[in-house]
Amino acid sequence: MQGWTSLFYKEILRFWKVGFQTVAAPVMTAVLYLLIFGHVLEDHVQVFDGVGYTAFLVPGLVMMSVLQNAFANSSSSLVQSKIMGSVVFILLTPLSHWAWFCAYVGSSIVRGLVVGLGVYIVTLFFTPAVAAAPLWIVVFAVLGAALLGTLGLIAGLWADKFDQMAAFQNFLIMPMTFLSGVFYSIQSLPPFWQQVSHLNPFFYMIDGFRYGFFGQSDVAPWVSLGIVGVAWLVVSALAIHLLRIGYKIRH
């Protein structure tokens, strides 16, 4: 194995070695959300015609798990390497900034998809499997994981300690995730907050992913795909630039 594949393999092993923490724990958290919100609101909320609230909730929780864990993978790996000083061993290799980008984002996609699949499998015990457009499910899952993995890469480069990393996650990633329609349809919001929700790129990831399950969404899936795709290209360009100049890792 040469080049970026070696670093990619190392990153896969890193999160897999502590799978109970990096995979099982997020799955359990999502199931708890499903049990609590599904039990309380199942008989009181119906968003789409013919779709129960628990079924509606499942895609949101799966995608939320994908996004959060993709972000956590690249960000925590980089911050930990910087704090422990082990990042110097990667810097000594002749890997280009493209190799770093592909390895860290690629491993983040893998972790996000593994956790998301785990959440989905467990939720099958609570609601029947539904997949109106499977291709859209795969596209938005992969693209969403790539976007958050890239954001995690940027956050990991910027942060010098875990406190800064936690601030990035708690004040940016978590609010944007929870306000993206995971637990509700934005059509139930007042007009002002509907407009605000349309400024949140996380909303388009959740909405497009949910379309793959039910064939219904608040926004056309092609629109969501275009917005998420552009967002990923923008943050990817920034991440690659930071890696190329060695931002906070070479200087």
Side-chain angles (χ1 to χ4, degrees), residues 40-109:
V40 172
L41 299 176
E42 175 65 30
D43 297 329
H44 303 283
V45 177
Q46 183 172 355
V47 182
F48 297 145
D49 292 336
V51 178
Y53 181 73
T54 300
F56 170 84
L57 191 58
V58 166
L61 291 175
V62 171
M63 192 59 166
M64 182 179 74
S65 301
V66 170
L67 301 181
Q68 291 181 346
N69 284 275
F71 175 86
N73 193 72
S74 52
S75 60
S76 62
S77 178
L78 262 178
V79 171
Q80 187 176 32
S81 296
K82 289 165 69 175
I83 292 175
M84 297 179 61
S86 58
V87 68
V88 68
F89 297 110
I90 305 177
L91 291 170
L92 289 173
T93 64
L95 293 176
S96 69
H97 53 280
W98 283 103
W100 282 55
F101 178 81
C102 292
Y104 279 102
V105 175
S107 60
S108 297
I109 293 174

Side-chain angles (χ1 to χ4, degrees), residues 118-181:
V119 173
Y120 180 67
I121 291 174
V122 174
T123 59
L124 293 178
F125 292 98
F126 302 94
T127 184
V130 178
L135 182 59
W136 283 114
I137 295 175
V138 175
V139 167
F140 278 102
V142 173
L143 191 56
L147 176 56
L148 267 293
T150 307
L151 279 175
L153 183 58
I154 294 172
L157 291 170
W158 167 78
D160 295 317
K161 50 187 179 180
F162 284 110
D163 290 352
Q164 294 175 323
M165 189 68 261
F168 194 101
Q169 186 164 10
N170 292 333
F171 292 100
L172 181 64
I173 302 301
M174 290 292 287
M176 293 181 70
T177 302
F178 277 93
L179 297 176
S180 61

